[in-house]
Amino acid sequence: MAERVGARSGAYKSNWDAIATATSKHGVLSWFVGSSPAALVQFLTAGLALKSVAPRMRHRARNADATNFAWDWWHMFRAHAFFTTVSSPVRVAFSTANHNPTRGGDKVNVAAWLKSEVHIYQEAALVSKRMFQDMGVRYFFQGTLRTIMKVSVPFDFNFALFRFVTS
């Protein structure tokens, strides 16, 4: 590893030094700015997909063919792709707002973190309103097919593999 790793100032001796310096300067919560919108999008895609497939999995667990990898993959893919499409407007609205979070001060405490989260929601609402006026509904569904291929396929494969290994 090189003697100096820092991209901007060259002042860090290692990656760990960069993380420790940023944490001491801005606080631990500075690493979690934007986590509530990210959790919301994950809940709307993965959480609801898992919840919708759970009754089928309980029914299949009682049957003799409980380890059908293709069946598990296909049913989770359908559910996950559906919820990815349905939650696409939320994902697109927050994607621009999460790129530029404002900090509430030098050291991020709970109040500053909450202020940053509120700012992200406000920016997402403003961007969504403006983009709906300019581009209409199609703005909110751009990139949905790419997201399904990049997120749903690996998620569903891992789910089916997990079911296969644990059955």
Side-chain angles (χ1 to χ4, degrees):
M1 182 181 277
E3 172 114 1
R4 299 202 182 269
V5 178
R8 291 186 183 174
S9 65
Y12 306 119
K13 294 179 182 173
S14 67
N15 290 336
W16 180 252
D17 184 38
I19 292 169
T21 303
T23 302
S24 66
K25 182 178 180 183
H26 298 292
V28 174
L29 287 176
S30 69
W31 295 99
F32 299 101
V33 172
S35 59
S36 68
L40 175 65
V41 171
Q42 284 302 311
F43 170 76
L44 291 174
T45 55
L48 292 178
L50 287 168
K51 184 68 175 162
S52 69
V53 174
R56 289 184 184 148
M57 295 301 147
R58 281 194 294 273
H59 173 69
R60 266 198 67 243
R62 289 183 228 126
N63 296 341
D65 63 338
T67 59
N68 189 340
F69 181 82
W71 190 94
D72 289 337
W73 193 356
W74 172 244
H75 286 288
M76 181 50 81
F77 176 77
R78 291 187 321 167
H80 197 269
F82 172 75
F83 286 112
T84 298
T85 304
V86 170
S87 66
S88 183
V90 177
R91 178 183 50 81
V92 170
F94 283 119
S95 67
T96 56
N98 266 337
H99 285 295
N100 189 17
T102 57
R103 293 194 167 142
D106 227 9
K107 194 85 161 176
V108 178
N109 55 17
V110 175
W113 179 80
L114 287 173
K115 183 179 176 183
S116 297
E117 295 296 296
V118 168
H119 178 74
I120 289 171
Y121 282 93
Q122 290 171 342
E123 187 173 338
L126 291 172
V127 167
S128 297
K129 181 181 176 183
R130 178 66 181 180
M131 293 311 290
F132 182 73
Q133 292 170 349
D134 289 349
M135 295 180 65
V137 176
R138 69 183 169 93
Y139 167 77
F140 295 102
F141 291 99
Q142 66 184 4
T144 301
L145 184 60
R146 182 185 61 216
T147 301
I148 288 172
M149 292 300 138
K150 288 174 71 174
V151 176
S152 291
V153 171
F155 179 83
D156 308 331
F157 176 80
N158 287 330
F159 174 78
L161 186 63
F162 175 77
R163 290 276 301 154
F164 182 76
V165 170
T166 59
S167 294

